[in-house]
Amino acid sequence: TAVKRLSARQILFRKGEKGNHAYVIIKGRLKVAASGEDGKETVLRIMDPGEVIGEIALFDSQPRSGTVTSLEAAELLVIQRRDLLAFLESHPKTAIKLLETLAVRLRTISAQLEDRVFLHLPNRLAKKLLALADTYGSQTPQGLRIDLRLKQGELGEMVGVSRESINKQLRAWTADGVLHSERGFITIDRAEELERLAGLALS
């Protein structure tokens, strides 16, 4: 068993490449993205320590379905195809758990597509920021801080708009006291306003 180390913003593999290995994230966070014919990239999800990445190509023997890049320095446990399949054959409960995880990912991607069709940018971005805060947030005296450093371009890739559109919306929310950003980390000052935009506020 080998360990692969990545520096921040390093590509693990690209969409279309042959997949011979899966990986278990030991340390660090990675993003999974896909690009369309127009070259625009969409961030499908953020992967955290303990999660398995790259397993789909091992199951169907097809090229990688997305490009994976580290968001920060990371360490990954490398798993060979034969080892993964043998392990799942002898541990059916783990195989079922993996299927459940894949189903959750599919539902998440489906929800993202629906949001892009039916929601405007402020609503989509509010929903995404609240989801990130739910996973990575910590309460501070200044507000609810998202402990994940993301570039504005990456936020744009998550909700399907340009970096410039994200910058404009964040500046508007900063001016209104909804949130603020410091050293690349966003802190939500008025979560109730984002909840209203995301359709999560109680009537």
Side-chain angles (χ1 to χ4, degrees), residues 63-111:
R64 298 291 192 187
S65 58
T67 298
V68 176
T69 307
S70 59
L71 293 173
E72 55 199 30
E75 292 184 5
L76 311 169
L77 185 67
V78 183
I79 303 175
Q80 299 281 350
R81 183 177 189 271
R82 62 179 181 273
D83 296 332
L84 177 61
L85 296 181
F87 178 81
L88 293 177
E89 286 176 357
S90 59
H91 296 79
K93 289 185 178 180
T94 302
I96 292 173
K97 187 67 177 178
L98 182 57
L99 287 174
E100 292 174 350
T101 299
L102 293 175
V104 169
R105 290 180 187 174
L106 182 60
R107 287 183 181 273
T108 300
I109 293 173
S110 177

Side-chain angles (χ1 to χ4, degrees), residues 14-203:
R14 297 181 185 274
K15 180 179 179 180
E17 292 181 349
K18 186 176 181 180
N20 296 317
H21 306 92
Y23 304 88
V24 177
I25 303 174
I26 302 172
K27 175 185 176 183
R29 297 185 178 113
L30 298 91
K31 68 172 182 177
V32 182
S35 56
E37 294 182 357
D38 57 1
K40 290 184 179 180
E41 194 171 78
T42 297
V43 174
L44 302 177
R45 62 186 183 276
I46 305 296
M47 306 289 288
D48 297 304
E51 294 193 73
V52 179
I53 194 166
E55 74 286 354
I56 294 177
L58 300 191
F59 292 144
D60 62 11
S61 299
Q62 297 297 309
R64 298 291 192 187
S65 58
T67 298
V68 176
T69 307
S70 59
L71 293 173
E72 55 199 30
E75 292 184 5
L76 311 169
L77 185 67
V78 183
I79 303 175
Q80 299 281 350
R81 183 177 189 271
R82 62 179 181 273
D83 296 332
L84 177 61
L85 296 181
F87 178 81
L88 293 177
E89 286 176 357
S90 59
H91 296 79
K93 289 185 178 180
T94 302
I96 292 173
K97 187 67 177 178
L98 182 57
L99 287 174
E100 292 174 350
T101 299
L102 293 175
V104 169
R105 290 180 187 174
L106 182 60
R107 287 183 181 273
T108 300
I109 293 173
S110 177
Q112 290 176 339
L113 292 175
E114 288 182 8
D115 287 348
R116 292 191 180 200
V117 172
F118 298 113
L119 298 181
H120 297 296
L121 168 59
N123 311 92
R124 298 204 307 271
L125 184 55
K127 191 173 181 179
K128 176 56 66 176
L129 289 176
L130 289 172
L132 290 171
D134 185 58
T135 303
Y136 305 108
S138 61
Q139 195 65 49
T140 71
Q142 291 74 37
L144 181 58
R145 184 177 188 265
I146 300 174
D147 292 320
L148 181 65
R149 190 193 299 272
L150 290 171
K151 298 179 180 179
Q152 291 184 357
E154 288 170 333
L155 278 175
E157 291 164 1
M158 289 181 177
V159 296
V161 298
S162 67
R163 185 198 65 80
E164 291 76 14
S165 297
I166 293 293
N167 180 268
K168 181 178 179 181
Q169 185 61 59
L170 291 179
R171 283 192 288 109
W173 280 342
T174 299
D176 290 340
V178 175
L179 52 75
H180 67 275
S181 179
E182 185 176 359
R183 298 194 303 276
F185 293 96
I186 293 175
T187 298
I188 300 172
D189 302 293
R190 292 168 49 204
E192 67 278 3
E193 177 61 19
L194 295 185
E195 290 171 354
R196 183 186 66 79
L197 288 168
L200 302 177
L202 297 176
S203 58

